[in-house]
């Protein structure tokens, strides 16, 4: 049965009530730390309550769930029950409602999100690409709820990095005596989550876009997801049938691109032998549907993503490069604790030994140091240690790998390493500069990119290819 506020047919209706408060983060008391202090959402001990299958999945998506949280509040108000946040997210993603640009920014496609609400939840929704405050008031007075975008950074909208602003949606639930009643999925306090503002103040933050929800539409009770196919159709009889079942899961979104499965997990899920799983995965890999990494697992493959980001860069070097960039760009400021090795293994989907190897150059360059209190790595102010008993005296803004690359480039352009000569081995260079081998590997990257050196196919050693002036090499 519809709530009385939705069944009322008067021209001007009171705010919808009750509307449960649903936040886009699992623990409301941690919102302030995540939104305003930069804490990782994945550190939330209650992340499983969101319906996320992994901590990494929760950490990646929880910042983008304001619309999903608003939808869940509307469904709970209308039906008394609703899917979890991440069940709703999975449905929205199957409808292509979330888009990601080349810079990794995630946004919500309002039109496809409205389609998802209409088709999957019998919730009529209309898109308003240019919504005014008068429109919001009229919609609320006619019994609608309004998902309204907030454009300005303030106490209603979470802070974002410059250049990475994404829509944040509030759920307006009613208008009464010149005040707007609304729910804020990312409010750091109860007062900001269940809020009331004068029309003039709410209008000052209105972003110009919105979605109106027609709550008086017929309620549709939530139906739990269907039983696993293996319980309905019996276990697959061969590898081809297992591959077909896996293909179905990939196509309908039940096996999401963020989910990793080992062979033993897949064998248990489908009640088959691991040999059958191995053959089925080989079929899917041949079709380009999945990718597998030894000791890590298998996941659905998506375009422009790979476990090996650059053909000429090792996985550990790539992770070192990524973490170094985050430190130098201020994503990990001085004094802040680096994510744990376990968290980094989940993010980069590698073994812990790869993470340990990737951290070595950062330690050598003095960018991180181990805290004696909790054994975690802490970002330093960027000071750099001496190399053994001698100073390497690089420029203040130059990392150790950059200094080594600069030194080797100078030797090549000055003729110390003439064209055609084999460069000292990485082991020899590591001894000379008193660094770990990964620092040498990282230092050689710009020389390869500039065409100063190339790898010899005969002995896998680097050979000087040409003598360029230092200016042209740069």
């Amino acid at each position: 049965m519809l709530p009385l506020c939705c069944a009322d047919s008067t021209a001007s209706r009171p705010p919808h009530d009750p509307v449960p408060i649903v936040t886009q983060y699992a623990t409301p008391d941690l919102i302030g730390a995540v939104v305003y202090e930069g804490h990782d959402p994945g550190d939330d001990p209650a992340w499983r309550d969101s319906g996320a299958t992994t901590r990494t999945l929760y950490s990646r998506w929880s910042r983008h769930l304001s619309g999903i949280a608003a939808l869940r509040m509307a469904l709970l108000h209308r039906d008394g029950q609703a899917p979890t946040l991440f069940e709703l997210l999975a449905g929205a993603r199957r409808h292509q409602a979330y888009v990601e640009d080349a810079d990794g920014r995630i946004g919500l496609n309002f039109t496809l999100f409205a389609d998802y609400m209409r088709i999957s939840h019998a919730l009529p929704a209309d898109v308003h690409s240019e919504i005014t405050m008068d429109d919001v008031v009229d919609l609320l007075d006619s019994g609608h709820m309004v998902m309204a975008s907030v454009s300005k950074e303030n106490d209603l909208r979470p802070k974002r990095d410059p250049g990475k602003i994404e829509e944040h949606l509030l759920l307006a639930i009613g208008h009464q005596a010149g005040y707007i009643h609304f729910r804020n999925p990312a409010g750091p306090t109860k007062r900001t989550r269940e809020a009331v503002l004068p029309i003039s103040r709410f209008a000052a933050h209105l972003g110009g876009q919105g979605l109106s929800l027609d709550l008086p539409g017929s309620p549709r009770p939530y139906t739990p997801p269907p039983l696993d196919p293996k319980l309905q159709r019996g276990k697959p009889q061969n590898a081809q049938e297992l591959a077909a079942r896996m293909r179905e899961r990939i196509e309908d979104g039940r096996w999401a691109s963020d989910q990793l499965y080992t062979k033993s997990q897949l064998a248990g899920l489908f009640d088959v032998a691991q040999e059958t799983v191995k053959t089925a995965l080989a079929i899917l890999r041949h079709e380009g549907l999945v990718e597998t990494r030894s000791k890590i697992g298998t996941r659905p493959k998506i375009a422009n993503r790979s476990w090996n980001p650059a053909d000429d860069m090792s996985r550990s070097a790539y992770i070192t490069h990524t973490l170094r960039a985050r430190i130098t760009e201020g994503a990990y400021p001085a004094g802040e604790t680096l994510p744990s090795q376990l968290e980094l293994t989940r993010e980069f989907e590698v073994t812990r030994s790869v993470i340990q190897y990737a951290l070595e150059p950062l330690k050598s360059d003095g960018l991180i140091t181990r805290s004696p209190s909790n054994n975690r790595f802490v970002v330093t102010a960027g000071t750099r240690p001496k190399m053994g008993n001698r100073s390497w005296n690089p420029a203040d803004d130059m990392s150790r790998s950059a200094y080594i690359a600069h030194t080797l480039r100078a030797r090549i352009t000055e003729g110390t390493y003439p064209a055609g000569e084999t460069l000292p081995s990485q082991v020899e260079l590591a001894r000379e500069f008193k660094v770990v081998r990964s620092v040498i590997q990282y230092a050689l990257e710009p020389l390869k990119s500039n065409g100063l050196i190339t790898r010899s196919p005969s002995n896998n050693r680097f050979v000087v290819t040409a003598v360029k002036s230092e200016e042209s090499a740069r």
Side-chain angles (χ1 to χ4, degrees):
M1 179 180 295
L2 286 170
L4 291 177
C5 56
C6 293
D8 186 0
S9 60
T10 58
S12 181
R13 309 182 187 192
H16 290 273
D17 183 69
V19 179
I21 301 172
V22 175
T23 60
Q24 62 195 83
Y25 299 100
T27 302
D29 289 345
L30 295 180
I31 291 176
V34 171
V35 172
Y36 296 102
E37 298 174 16
H39 288 238
D40 183 356
D43 292 336
D44 190 332
W47 64 268
R48 290 183 179 85
D49 295 345
S50 66
T53 54
T54 67
R55 188 187 295 268
T56 301
L57 185 67
Y58 174 80
S59 180
R60 172 173 169 74
W61 281 97
S62 58
R63 297 181 187 275
H64 311 288
L65 298 183
S66 59
I68 294 295
L71 171 58
R72 188 164 194 265
M73 285 187 268
L75 294 176
L76 286 170
H77 170 70
R78 188 191 69 176
D79 304 336
Q81 56 186 337
T84 66
L85 289 174
F86 275 78
E87 286 173 337
L88 292 171
L89 173 64
R93 291 177 68 188
R94 285 196 291 271
H95 281 258
Q96 310 298 313
Y98 278 90
V99 293
E100 184 171 358
D101 65 17
D103 296 324
R105 294 178 293 190
I106 296 173
L108 186 64
N109 183 310
F110 282 22
T111 300
L112 296 179
F113 190 46
D115 289 343
Y116 164 60
M117 289 189 279
R118 283 194 297 266
I119 294 169
S120 297
H121 300 286
L123 179 56
D126 291 314
V127 178
H128 303 268
S129 57
E130 295 182 6
I131 193 168
T132 66
M133 195 64 234
D134 288 341
D135 295 330
V136 172
V137 172
D138 288 344
L139 286 165
L140 294 175
D141 286 346
S142 63
H144 291 76
M145 288 186 181
V146 178
M147 293 185 189
S149 66
V150 182
S151 63
K152 295 182 180 179
E153 268 197 19
N154 47 69
D155 55 343
L156 304 185
R157 189 194 193 291
K159 292 183 178 179
R160 294 283 190 270
D161 295 332
K164 296 188 177 179
I165 300 299
E166 294 141 5
E167 294 291 348
H168 179 68
L169 295 177
L170 309 176
L171 181 66
I173 62 173
H175 160 238
Q176 194 168 43
Y179 285 81
I180 301 297
H181 296 247
F182 64 94
R183 301 286 186 264
N184 182 358
T189 65
K190 188 177 187 300
R191 182 184 64 82
T192 57
R193 291 191 285 271
E194 185 177 13
V196 180
L197 280 181
I199 288 178
S200 59
R201 281 196 61 196
F202 192 91
H205 305 309
L206 192 63
Q209 295 188 82
L211 291 152
S212 59
L213 311 180
D214 187 8
L215 269 296
S218 300
R220 177 179 176 178
Y222 167 56
T223 303
L227 292 174
D228 190 280
K230 73 172 185 177
L231 300 178
Q232 297 176 322
R233 295 182 286 173
K235 69 179 184 180
Q237 298 302 307
N238 51 50
Q240 287 73 22
E241 186 177 337
L242 176 59
R245 300 274 185 92
M246 292 179 179
R247 196 179 296 112
E248 286 178 13
R249 283 176 172 261
I250 294 171
E251 290 172 352
D252 66 20
R254 283 177 294 152
W255 188 357
S257 60
D258 307 274
Q259 290 178 303
L260 281 164
Y261 287 114
T262 63
K263 286 198 293 288
S264 62
Q265 288 173 329
L266 289 169
L269 182 63
F270 290 97
D271 193 22
V272 295
Q274 288 196 35
E275 268 312 303
T276 306
V277 172
K278 183 177 179 180
T279 305
L281 291 178
I283 294 172
L284 297 181
R285 280 197 298 272
H286 181 71
E287 296 173 357
L289 292 177
V290 300
E291 54 185 347
T292 301
R293 191 171 181 84
S294 176
K295 298 182 180 180
I296 298 295
T298 298
R299 66 182 178 186
K301 192 172 185 179
I302 60 176
N304 301 320
R305 181 186 73 174
S306 172
W307 260 305
N308 299 300
D311 293 337
D312 59 351
M313 185 182 289
S314 69
R315 187 64 183 170
S316 62
Y318 168 74
I319 296 170
T320 302
H321 169 77
T322 301
L323 296 178
R324 187 191 304 277
R326 292 177 185 177
I327 292 172
T328 55
E329 292 168 3
Y332 298 147
E336 182 172 305
T337 301
L338 211 62
S340 69
Q341 293 184 26
L342 181 58
E343 290 168 332
L344 292 173
T345 61
R346 289 170 177 161
E347 175 184 352
F348 291 102
E349 296 164 343
V350 295
T351 60
R352 192 164 183 174
S353 61
V354 175
I355 295 298
Q356 291 171 338
Y357 195 68
L359 293 174
E360 287 300 321
L362 304 181
K363 289 193 292 181
S364 298
D365 287 355
L367 293 176
I368 60 174
T369 186
R370 195 181 290 276
S371 169
S373 61
N374 58 9
N375 209 33
R376 292 274 295 275
F377 284 106
V378 177
V379 179
T380 66
T383 57
R384 296 185 167 73
K386 289 185 177 181
M387 301 171 65
N389 295 322
R390 61 174 181 149
S391 174
W392 50 295
N393 296 322
D396 291 339
D397 59 350
M398 186 183 292
S399 69
R400 178 168 294 191
S401 60
Y403 170 74
I404 296 170
H406 171 78
T407 302
L408 295 178
R409 182 185 288 113
R411 292 177 185 178
I412 292 171
T413 56
E414 292 166 2
T416 305
Y417 299 145
E421 183 171 308
T422 301
L423 211 63
S425 70
Q426 293 182 26
V427 173
E428 293 169 331
L429 291 172
R431 287 172 181 161
E432 175 186 351
F433 290 101
K434 292 181 169 53
V435 294
V436 295
R437 191 170 174 179
S438 59
V439 176
I440 298 298
Q441 292 172 338
Y442 194 72
L444 294 174
E445 292 299 323
L447 305 184
K448 289 193 290 181
S449 300
N450 290 333
L452 291 175
I453 61 174
T454 187
R455 194 181 291 275
S456 170
S458 60
N459 59 9
N460 208 31
R461 293 272 295 275
F462 285 104
V463 178
V464 179
T465 56
V467 178
K468 297 184 180 181
S469 67
E470 187 167 350
E471 184 67 29
S472 64
R474 289 176 179 170

